[in-house]
Amino acid sequence: MRLIATILVGASLFTGAASAASETTLKTSKEDAVFPRPAQLEGAVSFWRKIFAEYSENQVVIHSMDYPNKIYGVLDYRDDAARGVDKTTIRTRAREDERAARDKIERLLKLVHANRKTPQKLDPEARKVYELFADIDDPNVYRDQLDRVRSQRGLRERTGNAMAVSGRYLPNMEAVFKSYQLPVGLTRLPLVESSFNVDAYSKVGAAGIWQFMPSSARIYMRLDEVVDDRRDPWFATDGAARHLRDDYALLQQWPLAVTAYNYGRMGLARALKAVDGSTLEDLLDDFDGRRFGFASRNFYAEFLAALDVARNRDRYYKDVQPEKRLDFDVITTANYVPYETLRELASIDEASFRRLNPAYQDEVVAGKLYIPPHHEVRVPAGLGKTFKLAYAGLGQGRVFDRQRVYWIQHRVARGETLGGIAHRYGSSIRDIQQANGIRNPRLIRIGQTIKVPPRDTPRDSSGVVIAAAAPSLQSTVLQHRIASGDTLGAIARRYGSSVSDIQRANGISDPRLIRIGQTIKVPASGVSAQAAVMTHRVRSGDTLGGIADRYDTTVSALKALNGISNPRSLRSGQVIRLQEAATADGGLQELAYSKASSEPSYRLHRVESGQTLSAISRRYGISSARLSSYNGLTDPDQVRAGTLLKVPER
């Protein structure tokens, strides 16, 4: 049976013991001073605490986007789930019911707004809506809530699982954050980002428990054909600690630094400047940036709520016990070696080996690529000595002095060209044409899968890919300029080197004693200078300011790096450099940018007969100019009935 809870049950869904538990005063911590709780966030924190710890995944909360704790009601499917109704069916029903609930609530909001001065005329259901916002001192609050109705599925089950799984990693995570002199409470951010799901992958490309985007991952860890350190909880935690340390170094307040982890530190700094503010409260009150939507505005409140739940695990999850910490020994490879060979030496099954070494790409696990020299491989604690002896005894045919030849498989997306694909992978149009038998580079189609030869792979006179000899440690020596957040370990992983080799090359006795601006020599193996270059291909509608926002850099830095005198002169297809390349005789100088935020948040509005852009703008409380710009309208007077407009969130 389809079960829909009564809409508009009031500001608090739960009653009795559950409600009382959620309002109990939480125990304090010395970190309360580090992570302050602005009064204006109290309602949002309470809301998210219930989402994490009380609402089931089979409940959908219908609430206000502007005031999350203003709850219209709940769609409850727990009985359906108990009767064995499958999740797909429940989700389908929920989507239909959410649409119906929004329509009903918006009708009631319109009715209440029209009768706000005579609430006694309202029927009981409309009166509940009136009372829900009665404490808001704004005569237009009901009108403003139109199209501000949001649904949120409960996370109790996911959070409970995260409480258990986090036990594998938290001891190490807390030690890493302490080593950087950072508040250990920050290690609970993955409760918000991923629920400690190592395999988490978002629709915008963020991955791992810390949900790094590729752009920021390439600053703080290694991401290439062999490994994706975002999926490695240990390497990713070290990167996240340095990321947050850099966020705090710029913004000097943890509420801002935590928010910057979602929004981007440079973007947040510009937002503060735009409103002449200095705190998160200033941004929440005054900033109306297009990207500063519901997710960013609520990120710090979600973090505080997750911290509360983690501190009070015994209250919310009495039957959940953290899993045992994953202990291991670390061995460094000296050759190119197959993944399966190392797994066999570890004498453990595939799932256990993968759990300890989750960063390796599918091509490596499948044997299409080897694990290169100087890679750290984890084996169960106590097996390190036995593993080293077995590794030393590997004969010819089991270790190699060169990487395997392979193809990258790429599925062509809308708007892509062969030239753009070649540039992305460091290949060439000619090599891709030869690999795929493509005569005309313009004749590729959306959805087509093409083989892309890897970067820097030698070819014989006929153009056939041949195997490359493995470079020695002295064959390529790069110079790297130390940037904020760098460690020798991260630099070594990035260039396929090792900490000890870098120490020897530079006479560094203590790897912790490096300074920002220092130039060091990096004996690199298996990485090209080109691999260090990051670029952006301009698309229709891009601006230099928008590109700077996306990658958390500045317009002036991009102008200087690309020799751009007029930022308005960008053309579609132009390649913008985001950082300088490492060369054998020059340094690597990166621009400071961090994680790209999620996609801009907007809602859709279908233009009705007789509506003007001005009327639509007034309805949503934004300017006509902003609405025109957001939709690329050259003539605002030409909007036609039936047109779908994107309306950015305020």
Side-chain angles (χ1 to χ4, degrees), residues 251 322 324 503:
L251 299 166
K324 183 180 178 182
Q503 286 183 259

Side-chain angles (χ1 to χ4, degrees), residues 546-562:
I547 296 169
D549 275 347
R550 177 176 178 183
Y551 295 100
D552 269 346
T553 182
T554 63
V555 172
S556 58
L558 292 179
K559 288 171 63 179
L561 191 58
N562 292 274

